[in-house]
Amino acid sequence: MDISTESVSALRQSFEVKLNEKNEVFHPLDLAKINNSDAWLQRFLIHTEGNQEEALSMLWNVCEWRKSFGVNEMSESNGTVRIDYLEEGIMYPHGMDIDGKLMFIIRCKLHFKASKDSEECKKCAVYWFERMERLTNGDQITIFFDMMGSGLSNLDMEFTNYLINLLKMYYPAFLNYIIIYEMPWVLNAAFKIIKTWLPAKAVKKIKFLNKNSLSEFVSKESIMVNWGGEDNYKFNFEPETKKIEETKKKVHFAETMEVKNGSGDIRDIVYMPKELKLKINPSEVLTFIKDNSNGYNELMASLTFINDYKDPIAFKIKTTCLVKYKVRPSTGTLIPQESIKVTFVLNGMSIKQTDVMRDKFLVLVIPVIDTKDMAEMWKIQWETKEQHILKCKISNENETVNTWNSYDQNHNNDLEEKVNKLMNMVTTLEISNRVLSQHMRYVKYSLYILLLVCLFAVGFLWAVFYHK
């Protein structure tokens, strides 16, 4: 769903008006996101299908909940979340689904409701949701219920309902799929109830999978060994604070060399001052497409950079994978209201969609003070340095958004039909099992009675012959 910048601005303005009327105090980090991040506000509008009134109500409720729950203060380093729960590995993010979205894996067989503090479990879930938000820059996730070896003792309807409510009420447009892997038939009735808690559009995102069908919705590289794949990942909890310290010592974005053409879609802004300097068009999804105009049959795309600031600015583009991409120009300066077309090229025509979707571009922007020595300018630790994260996607030839949506809808309909047939078969098996159990009980009781009769007869005959 396309959300216009005007709709985002209207939502931001409505929130500011309500904030002034109510004289409410929310967390500064949440207010900063509302003030600076169009991407976050877009998610509320997508979640409510463009309804401004519903989006405003949801945004307000989210800010209230985040304040009361202490979401922004939540960390493994300050005791607000049980680190021993996190280290158990009952739930954690790992791997990518078929769309390149991060998976949140829940190992159901390790969870026993009676053995855990339910409130602490909820805090762990929120901790991971927040950490994944930061890790993906607000991109969608897939919740993966690994139900291998689980049974009725692992079923926790309250916690499952809590996860669903988090997605419905506090994390808009955050869900890509819900994957139910190897669900035991004894839990069929429970999941029928769970489906009623979800809105209709979310029910379509539920995928019941087994080893044979897992590759339809999980990337091959992310199928773990115990699921029949080759990923031998073993969970080991690493505090986020440690990861942040490590990232300061590493360079994740390599500076691009000579430039030609590539792509990405603007998912979020890592840090943005109130007064935006660089405007990037298009503001939504950029997709690599085949370009045969120069005879090289390359995958190409383009962006337009506009200096929307009162003074000159300089920009620099970096990428996570230097060998794959070329960009022209990778650096430059723009006077006020000047624009420039930036083109990207993806090297190699046989690269997979899932590989490209992991790549990112980083656009850095600084104000220009002295154009004579730009190298020194970039060495300054600017507090107002502007950063844009761009992600990548490949488009098939002649592919359109509508054809993708149509394919996805038909695919979902086919899977839903298969799931319904499977559920009907399981229901039939449940009935047959109950009938069989009744017959077994009848046979067992009959054998007991027969045994008692035999013992009585033996005792009676023994008594008769013994007295003779």
Side-chain angles (χ1 to χ4, degrees), residues 31 35 56 107 132 144 173 199 207 226 288 348 366 384 386 391 405 413 419 431 466:
L31 293 177
N35 193 35
L56 175 60
R107 300 176 66 195
M132 289 186 291
F144 189 106
K207 309 299 174 185
N226 58 320
F288 285 104
I366 59 172
T384 57
E386 188 173 302
K391 292 188 179 180
N405 290 341
N413 289 340
V419 168
I431 295 172
Y466 177 77

Side-chain angles (χ1 to χ4, degrees), residues 107-144:
R107 300 176 66 195
C108 298
K109 71 176 183 179
L110 300 181
H111 178 75
F112 297 91
K113 182 178 180 180
S115 65
K116 293 281 189 300
D117 185 320
S118 61
E119 292 304 313
E120 292 298 330
C121 288
K122 292 174 183 178
K123 288 181 181 179
C124 288
V126 174
Y127 164 84
W128 279 121
F129 271 39
E130 287 296 302
R131 189 162 167 175
M132 289 186 291
E133 281 257 12
R134 292 187 287 270
L135 184 63
T136 65
N137 292 310
D139 202 358
Q140 290 181 314
I141 64 166
T142 284
I143 296 184
F144 189 106

Side-chain angles (χ1 to χ4, degrees), residues 212-227:
N212 295 327
S213 58
L214 189 59
S215 59
E216 295 179 24
F217 290 94
V218 177
S219 67
K220 183 179 178 182
E221 299 83 1
S222 299
I223 299 179
M224 290 197 275
V225 172
N226 58 320
W227 301 339

Side-chain angles (χ1 to χ4, degrees), residues 288-293 297-300 349 395-397:
F288 285 104
I289 59 174
K290 290 182 180 178
D291 185 358
N292 303 320
S293 59
N297 197 32
E298 296 171 320
L299 290 170
M300 304 180 72
M349 298 293 294
S395 171
N396 292 333
E397 191 174 9

